Amino acid sequence: MIEVAKLSKHFGSKLAVDELSFTVEKGEVLGFLGPNGAGKSTTMRMVTGFLPPSAGDAKICGISITENPFEAKTKIGYLPESAPLYNDMTVIGFLKFCAAIRGLVGPEKNEAVEKAIETCFLESVAHQSIETLSKGYRHRTCLAQSLLHDPEVLILDEPTDGLDPNQKFEIRQLIKRLGETKAILFSTHILEEVEAACTRAVIVDRGKIVADGTPAELIAQAPNGSLTELFRKVTTTDTAA
Amino acid sequence: MSSLTIFKRELKSYFAQPTAYAIIVIFLLLSLGMTFSFGEFMTVGDASLEYSFFYWHPWLYMLLAPAIAMKLWADEQRNGTIELLGTFPVSTWSAIVGKFLAAATVSLVALALTFPIVITVNYLGDPDNGIILAGYIGSFLVCCTFIAITMLVSACTRDQVVCLIVSVFLCTTMVLSGYDPLSRELAKATSPATVEAVVSLGVLNHFTTLSRGLFRLQDFVWFASFIGICLLGTSTILSAKRA
């Protein structure tokens, strides 16, 4: 479903992503781990077609994002890192706009919006202005936007960032449930999330994959059976780099 | 189709916030205020509206058009919503067109609300309404040109204030380069060819012929190509920023 082949990105002389390759199959939830600045967000932005890669390609359901971006983008639901939203709209207005831009019309559009509101528990704020929402609701509104067109591929950049423990739990359950029928790539630096929601995880450091496996396999590789130790071992700290 | 969706969203956004109302009210106050004060509408007794009313429009637009259009891309970049827009299955071009048309519509509403002045001259005198219509078309085209310039600047920055200041400067230059007293000064210092080049780059030359009721193809071509170049430039800048 998601095939990333030798994806690279330079920003000037800085190499942000270095020939990264991985695949995510249908029914798989791939956790994308790594320290800040490892190239997680840049990779996701390239896979979703926002940034053009310097080299390499990503295929979404077999469609190349560089050669046929329009078609490939219709298959993807994307939650950007800071959950950007149009503050001057209401939640329902925003979701209707996103549905319309995805080509949904009439009753189909309303149905998709209602379903997304229900899935992301947004009923109580549906008619509220986005400007007045708390961080948790903002995040879920943006997540709802990514589910509207029932995409085959979901790419979520730190979907649980800034949420309280209850909300984190709900989102993880949601990711797990959606992962049964979709291919999901989500980034996080909360290691417990990997065990809670992922079927597989990769650890990225300075643009390269440094560890890859199911949560159980990764734990087996770890020096004392903890993911945190493995993470510390395979990645470089800010101060060392 | 996606242009239309973006157009609707932008237009709603203008009227969901005080932006559009503030700009429209200020335009109406200033344009009619100028007409009755400096334009000497009542004493001149000219029903064509050319000097009393339309003359002031480019001077107002050079301040107000940037205020309308400054948020179009700057806001999108500041809030990060450009990332959403960039991953939706829409081309940058349809987003540009949708946004441009929304801003143009706000200015059209402002312009349309000056209709009492047309009723007034028709009541008081016997004007050539064709010339008045030409004046309105010219005025709208000037505003669209300034909106296009602002949109180009807006693509370059995430800061609306920077966008406003730079755009006002550029639009002011566009107006001043065709302003007679300045051209006369320029003529003393340089060759007539230079003066002609500067004047033809400015917006006043093309606007004045239209507001006199003269439909010249070259003016329409000038406006269309200027707007087109600014929109293409916007598209280029937005793509270059991501690379």
Side-chain angles (χ1 to χ4, degrees):
Chain A
M1 296 287 257
I2 311 177
E3 297 163 63
V4 175
K6 295 198 167 175
L7 211 56
S8 300
K9 184 73 186 174
H10 298 270
F11 291 112
S13 61
K14 191 177 175 279
L15 186 62
V17 177
D18 187 5
E19 296 202 346
L20 211 65
S21 300
F22 61 86
T23 57
V24 188
E25 297 300 330
K26 186 178 172 178
E28 219 176 9
V29 180
L30 180 71
F32 210 46
L33 309 175
N36 289 324
K40 302 190 296 287
S41 292
T42 307
T43 306
M44 291 180 144
R45 283 175 178 162
M46 286 192 286
V47 175
T48 51
F50 179 63
L51 290 177
S54 306
D57 195 8
K59 284 198 171 115
I60 310 297
C61 306
I63 305 159
S64 161
I65 192 79
T66 51
E67 282 161 25
N68 196 351
F70 193 88
E71 196 72 18
K73 282 173 184 175
T74 61
K75 308 276 184 198
I76 308 175
Y78 176 46
L79 169 69
E81 193 175 3
S82 52
L85 299 165
Y86 291 106
N87 290 327
D88 51 44
M89 302 178 100
T90 61
V91 171
I92 197 159
F94 172 72
L95 292 175
K96 281 188 172 167
F97 161 70
C98 296
I101 222 164
R102 293 278 184 187
L104 298 171
V105 282
E108 208 187 356
K109 179 171 90 175
N110 294 335
E111 216 167 275
V113 169
E114 269 168 42
K115 201 176 157 204
I117 286 178
E118 200 184 292
T119 313
C120 298
F121 314 102
L122 292 166
E123 290 95 342
S124 60
V125 295
H127 294 279
Q128 205 171 313
S129 159
I130 286 174
E131 215 162 15
T132 63
L133 294 184
S134 68
K135 198 167 179 183
Y137 277 119
R138 288 182 66 93
H139 239 86
R140 279 188 274 166
T141 305
C142 204
L143 181 66
Q145 158 279 129
S146 70
L147 301 173
L148 283 168
H149 52 300
D150 194 23
E152 292 170 64
V153 168
L154 263 183
I155 296 179
L156 312 171
D157 201 348
E158 303 198 1
T160 57
D161 184 43
L163 302 187
D164 69 38
N166 293 332
Q167 293 166 335
K168 275 186 183 152
F169 177 78
E170 276 164 20
I171 294 293
R172 270 180 228 152
Q173 294 303 105
L174 179 65
I175 290 174
K176 224 171 165 176
R177 206 174 73 227
L178 292 167
E180 288 166 12
T181 52
K182 301 179 193 299
I184 301 184
L185 171 66
F186 88 95
S187 74
T188 177
H189 35 225
I190 305 166
L191 297 169
E192 61 191 80
E193 243 157 42
V194 176
E195 287 172 85
C198 299
T199 57
R200 200 159 65 86
V202 293
I203 302 179
V204 189
D205 184 47
R206 288 189 277 178
K208 279 188 151 94
I209 291 178
V210 289
D212 182 355
T214 62
E217 283 167 4
L218 290 178
I219 290 169
Q221 282 178 38
N224 58 1
S226 103
L227 268 180
T228 315
E229 284 307 311
L230 177 70
F231 187 88
R232 287 181 55 79
K233 193 181 135 197
V234 296
T235 61
T236 35
T237 59
D238 275 355
T239 43
Chain B
M1 182 61 204
S2 45
S3 278
L4 186 68
T5 312
I6 290 169
F7 166 76
K8 281 193 208 153
R9 197 209 82 75
E10 290 294 330
L11 197 60
K12 260 190 208 162
S13 151
Y14 275 118
F15 287 96
Q17 288 174 315
T19 330
Y21 303 103
I23 290 167
I24 290 170
V25 168
I26 289 171
F27 174 75
L28 291 177
L29 284 176
L30 288 178
S31 64
L32 297 175
M34 290 296 197
T35 306
F36 286 96
S37 57
F38 299 110
E40 299 179 327
F41 177 70
M42 299 309 281
T43 47
V44 168
D46 171 21
S48 80
L49 290 178
E50 184 202 334
Y51 288 105
S52 55
F53 178 63
F54 289 119
Y55 178 82
W56 306 103
H57 285 194
W59 301 89
L60 298 178
Y61 291 144
M62 73 189 195
L63 300 172
L64 292 177
I68 300 176
M70 64 179 182
K71 68 158 197 163
L72 287 177
W73 290 105
D75 215 25
E76 203 86 48
Q77 294 181 79
R78 164 141 296 183
N79 289 333
T81 41
I82 193 159
E83 201 167 337
L84 279 181
L85 215 50
T87 52
F88 285 146
V90 292
S91 64
T92 313
W93 188 241
S94 50
I96 290 172
V97 171
K99 278 168 179 280
F100 174 75
L101 291 180
T105 306
V106 172
S107 71
L108 195 61
V109 171
L111 206 50
L113 287 174
T114 59
F115 72 92
I117 194 89
V118 182
I119 296 175
T120 310
V121 286
N122 272 288
Y123 178 75
L124 293 176
D126 183 23
D128 182 340
N129 282 313
I131 295 181
I132 291 177
L133 180 68
Y136 270 108
I137 292 173
S139 169
F140 180 58
L141 286 175
V142 171
C143 193
C144 285
T145 307
F146 290 173
I147 286 172
I149 292 173
T150 311
M151 189 147 167
L152 179 74
V153 178
S154 179
C156 301
T157 176
R158 47 166 54 206
D159 194 324
Q160 290 197 34
V161 178
V162 171
C163 175
L164 180 70
I165 292 170
V166 174
S167 317
V168 167
F169 169 75
L170 292 176
C171 296
T172 309
T173 314
M174 294 281 295
V175 173
L176 288 179
S177 66
Y179 184 51
D180 274 346
L182 270 181
S183 321
R184 279 198 294 274
E185 286 305 311
L186 196 64
K188 288 177 195 162
T190 57
S191 66
T194 319
V195 177
E196 202 179 325
V198 170
V199 169
S200 65
L201 261 179
V203 81
L204 281 184
N205 185 24
H206 304 279
F207 170 64
T208 317
T209 41
L210 259 175
S211 69
R212 285 184 189 144
L214 206 59
F215 285 93
R216 288 192 308 184
L217 183 65
Q218 65 198 76
D219 295 321
F220 286 102
V221 171
W222 185 87
F223 280 118
S225 45
F226 203 96
I227 292 168
I229 289 168
C230 286
L231 299 190
L232 277 175
T234 307
S235 164
T236 312
I237 289 167
L238 289 173
S239 315
K241 275 201 145 180
R242 290 193 208 159

